């Protein structure tokens, strides 16, 4: 019998995407185990969500670890998980962690990459830029994490309309609904070994 698929979830905030993964595991949609939740900040609600579900937590404060943050994460996750999931994680991962988990780290970003992505583009700022620019469609992107900032191959995207009366906050709420669907969908592809990456193109095999 195959061992259950194991993931680590990295968080920096409230953890609604983490909660959506937990809910999808509990419902049976995702056949995997969250082995650990790692935060780069103390006292965030995502940690409480993990603790309430008896998931082991680690806090690696980004101000304390600085440039060595990725190496510290690698010490915790190496040979313990199959996939690393960034769910509202704000620190830049790099170095040996990216190499050891090549094509097995994924991130969810609240726009249709390459729009409104890269350095400084996170959280409500993304939606403010989308409203400011006047786009008619926005959404979210799940992508492979590489050494760049939101530059890895795209696994899937989900779109939402941008309404005339939208504010950054109302758009954020609409996109977040799709994030909760998309992130678990991408994780499921990994669990079922359906992901094939050819150059920048991600093929989802049936």
């Amino acid at each position: 019998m195959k061992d259950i698929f194991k993931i680590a979830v990295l968080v920096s905030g409230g953890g609604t995407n983490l909660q959506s993964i937990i809910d999808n595991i509990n419902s049976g949609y995702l056949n995997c185990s969250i082995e650990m939740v790692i935060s780069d900040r103390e006292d965030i609600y995502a940690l409480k969500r993990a603790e309430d579900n008896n998931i082991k937590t680690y806090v690696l404060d980004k101000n304390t670890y600085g440039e060595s943050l990725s190496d510290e994460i690698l010490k915790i996750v190496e040979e313990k998980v199959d996939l690393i999931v960034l769910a509202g994680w704000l620190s830049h991962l790099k170095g040996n962690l990216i190499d050891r988990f090549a094509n097995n780290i994924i991130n969810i970003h609240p726009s249709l990459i390459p729009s409104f992505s890269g350095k400084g583009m996170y959280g409500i700022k993304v939606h403010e830029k989308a409203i400011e620019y006047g786009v008619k469609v926005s959404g979210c992107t799940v992508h492979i994490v590489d050494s760049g900032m939101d530059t890895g191959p795209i696994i899937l995207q989900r779109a939402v309309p941008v309404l005339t009366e939208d504010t950054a906050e109302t758009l954020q709420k609409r996109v977040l609904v799709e994030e909760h669907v998309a992130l678990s969908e991408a994780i499921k592809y990994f669990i079922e070994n359906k992901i094939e990456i050819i150059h920048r193109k991600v093929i989802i095999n049936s």
Side-chain angles (χ1 to χ4, degrees):
M1 184 176 175
K2 186 183 181 299
D3 291 339
I4 192 164
F5 193 89
K6 296 175 180 178
I7 68 174
V9 182
L10 276 53
V11 294
S12 297
T16 64
N17 273 308
L18 167 63
Q19 188 65 54
S20 72
I21 299 168
I22 293 169
D23 292 345
N24 280 315
I25 291 171
N26 290 340
S27 74
Y29 176 73
L30 290 177
N31 183 24
C32 68
S33 166
I34 302 175
E35 294 295 297
M36 62 198 71
V37 167
I38 301 173
S39 171
D40 62 354
R41 296 164 57 198
E42 294 183 15
D43 301 323
I44 59 171
Y45 196 68
L47 291 171
K48 185 177 188 307
R49 293 182 193 272
E51 289 157 5
D52 287 347
N53 287 275
N54 299 310
I55 300 168
K56 190 170 183 60
T57 62
Y58 296 87
V59 177
L60 300 174
D61 189 282
K62 60 185 178 182
N63 295 320
T64 301
Y65 288 97
E67 292 297 311
S68 66
L69 180 61
S70 293
D71 290 334
E72 292 301 316
I73 294 169
L74 181 58
K75 290 176 187 176
I76 295 170
V77 299
E78 193 165 30
E79 298 185 358
K80 291 180 183 164
V81 299
D82 302 296
L83 180 71
I84 299 172
V85 179
L86 278 52
W89 173 262
L90 299 181
S91 293
H92 185 201
L93 299 181
K94 51 194 170 182
N96 290 333
L97 177 63
I98 298 292
D99 295 338
R100 301 277 178 85
F101 280 85
N103 296 333
N104 287 291
I105 307 175
I106 63 173
N107 178 55
I108 183 128
H109 183 77
S111 77
L112 298 175
I113 290 174
S115 296
F116 315 116
S117 62
K119 189 172 182 180
M121 284 288 98
Y122 60 88
I124 197 72
K125 295 179 181 181
V126 175
H127 307 293
E128 288 170 349
K129 284 294 183 185
I131 295 289
E132 179 186 311
Y133 202 87
V135 295
K136 303 301 183 186
V137 177
S138 191
C140 61
T141 302
V142 184
H143 66 93
I144 300 291
V145 174
D146 60 13
S147 58
M149 192 80 74
D150 300 328
T151 55
I154 291 171
I155 300 167
L156 62 91
Q157 295 179 302
R158 294 180 70 92
V160 303
V162 180
L163 307 178
T164 305
E165 64 272 20
D166 263 334
T167 63
E169 289 76 17
T170 59
L171 179 57
Q172 182 180 47
K173 287 178 183 175
R174 194 177 309 115
V175 171
L176 196 57
V177 172
E178 300 305 320
E179 287 183 44
H180 294 165
V181 175
L183 189 54
S184 285
E185 185 180 347
I187 293 168
K188 192 174 179 71
Y189 290 149
F190 278 90
I191 295 169
E192 297 176 354
N193 198 28
K194 290 183 175 180
I195 298 281
E196 182 182 357
I197 303 172
I198 302 172
H199 304 299
R200 283 200 57 83
K201 195 170 287 186
V202 178
I203 312 296
I204 310 297
N205 294 310
S206 57

